[in-house]
């Protein structure tokens, strides 16, 4: 029923819908379920090309078993801040799903979510393995991948021998810069194809337009990231009464050159914007 757990039959219908090329919204409509339920179900179980209803059902049963065990453990060790353990677990699953949807492999996404929600800001490999209920080898592989993407940093405990893993202060800045550089590389490669295909031909025009668009996006991302880091580091928002979110949004708008009086969706006169001479 809507709002309850997905059944084996519903998972079979999801698989058939994916095989028929249906959108998540259409599958959700046929099952009378929220689109977010279908999206989360598919993304946490291999994605649209690897979704298997039997494996998804088994994984759900295993998660339910872990929740019951975690709930028993939570009763023995209540949250220091008085938070609802079940609500935290559900949010962690949601955050993991968002990371997966953004392109992060599942195990790496779980580690990222776990570190994000850790009050200490860092965990040892043993702590990660215990919290995620996976093998140390899985944690090691996930951390190695995240380190290669500059998303996690490794450091040794002060006066200790154990290594801890945590997020660098500049994690999102580094992520945005890497994304901008990748976008700029696609733009440059597109521009190289213009000469190969013959300037003025339909294919060359398409590549040139793509290059101009991606150039503008990459340069805007880099500029906004630099400005946001300067503003946010100079004015950290720490108010616990909800003011922090508003302050962060305001500084983000300021960093990107957008104010509350700007027209939503307004675009510059020249989408390509000024670009350095590339020869």
């Amino acid at each position: 029923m809507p709002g309850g757990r997905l059944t084996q039959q519903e998972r079979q219908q999801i698989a058939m819908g994916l095989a028929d090329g249906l959108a998540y919204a259409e599958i959700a409509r046929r099952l009378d379920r929220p689109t977010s339920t279908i999206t989360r179900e598919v993304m946490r179980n291999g994605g649209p090309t690897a979704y298997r209803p039997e494996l998804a059902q088994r994984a759900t049963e295993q998660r339910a078993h872990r929740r019951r065990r975690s709930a028993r453990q939570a009763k023995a060790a209540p949250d220091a801040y008085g938070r609802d353990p079940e609500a935290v677990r559900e949010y962690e699953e949601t955050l993991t799903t968002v990371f997966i949807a953004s392109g992060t492999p599942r195990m790496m996404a779980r580690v990222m979510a776990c570190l994000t929600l850790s009050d200490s800001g860092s965990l040892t490999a043993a702590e990660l393995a215990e919290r995620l209920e996976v093998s140390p080898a899985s944690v090691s592989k996930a951390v190695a991948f995240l380190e290669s993407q500059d998303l996690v940093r490794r450091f040794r405990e002060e006066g200790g021998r154990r290594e801890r893993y945590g997020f660098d202060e500049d994690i999102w800045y580094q992520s945005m810069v890497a994304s901008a550089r990748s976008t700029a590389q696609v733009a440059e490669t597109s521009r190289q194809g213009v000469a190969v295909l013959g300037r003025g031909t339909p294919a060359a025009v398409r590549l040139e337009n793509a290059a101009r668009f991606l150039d503008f996006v990459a340069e805007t991302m880099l500029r906004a990231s630099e400005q946001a880091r300067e503003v946010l580091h100079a004015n950290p928002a720490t108010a616990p009464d909800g003011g922090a979110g508003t302050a962060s949004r305001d500084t983000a708008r300021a960093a990107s050159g957008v104010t509350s009086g700007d027209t939503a969706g307004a675009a510059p006169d020249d989408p390509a914007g000024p670009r350095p001479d590339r020869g």
Side-chain angles (χ1 to χ4, degrees):
M1 65 177 181
R5 295 187 184 279
L6 288 169
T7 65
Q8 177 71 37
Q9 183 179 5
E10 286 177 315
R11 290 190 165 93
Q12 292 286 355
Q13 290 178 271
I14 291 174
M16 289 188 291
L18 293 173
D20 290 340
L22 299 181
Y24 293 152
E26 176 60 21
I27 297 174
R29 187 189 67 77
R30 295 186 180 190
L31 293 178
D32 193 21
R33 293 277 192 170
T35 302
S36 59
T37 298
I38 305 303
T39 303
R40 185 167 58 249
E41 166 70 13
V42 174
M43 295 309 299
R44 71 163 48 145
N45 291 291
T49 59
Y51 182 79
R52 299 292 182 272
E54 298 82 5
L55 296 180
Q57 181 71 22
R58 190 180 311 152
T60 298
E61 293 170 354
Q62 292 173 346
R63 282 195 296 270
H65 174 71
R66 287 198 298 266
R67 287 196 193 98
R68 289 192 293 269
R69 185 167 60 184
S70 297
R72 291 194 296 269
Q73 294 172 345
K75 290 180 181 179
D79 186 277
Y81 294 92
R83 292 173 290 214
D84 179 359
E86 183 61 25
V88 173
R89 280 191 294 274
E90 289 182 1
Y91 174 72
E92 184 170 341
E93 286 191 9
T94 299
L95 184 60
T96 299
T97 301
V98 170
F99 286 151
I100 293 172
S102 70
T104 305
R106 176 170 175 75
M107 190 62 227
M108 292 65 173
R110 293 189 66 198
V111 170
M112 284 183 63
C114 190
L115 288 174
T116 299
L117 302 187
S118 168
D119 288 307
S120 65
S122 66
L123 295 168
T124 65
E127 289 170 337
L128 280 168
E130 180 180 1
R131 293 192 182 202
L132 298 175
E133 297 186 326
V134 297
S135 68
S138 296
V139 170
S140 178
K141 181 179 179 180
V143 168
F145 173 85
L146 293 172
E147 279 189 298
S148 71
Q149 302 298 309
D150 293 325
L151 294 176
V152 165
R153 65 186 178 95
R154 182 193 308 243
F155 57 93
R156 194 169 297 279
E157 290 181 335
E158 185 176 352
R161 299 174 57 184
R162 294 189 305 176
E163 289 185 329
R164 300 186 70 85
Y165 308 102
F167 286 138
D168 189 276
E169 291 294 330
D170 274 349
I171 174 178
W172 299 120
Y173 167 77
Q174 296 292 348
S175 178
M176 291 299 292
V177 168
S179 179
R181 288 174 177 166
S182 177
T183 300
Q185 181 61 54
V186 176
E188 181 60 30
T189 303
S190 298
R191 187 173 294 102
Q192 292 171 4
V194 173
V196 176
L197 295 174
R199 188 174 298 277
T201 64
V205 170
R206 188 179 305 116
L207 285 172
E208 178 63 20
N209 288 339
R212 295 175 70 243
F213 175 81
L214 295 173
D215 265 342
F216 178 78
V217 170
E219 290 167 11
T220 300
M221 288 173 63
L222 282 171
R223 182 166 58 250
S225 297
E226 292 286 356
Q227 292 173 344
R229 183 170 68 160
E230 292 176 5
V231 173
L232 293 174
H233 281 199
N235 301 285
T238 57
D241 59 356
T246 301
S248 297
R249 287 191 294 273
D250 289 343
T251 49
R253 292 193 187 101
S256 61
V258 177
T259 64
S260 57
D262 290 337
T263 302
D269 293 335
D270 180 8
R275 298 196 304 274
D277 183 9
R278 299 176 182 274

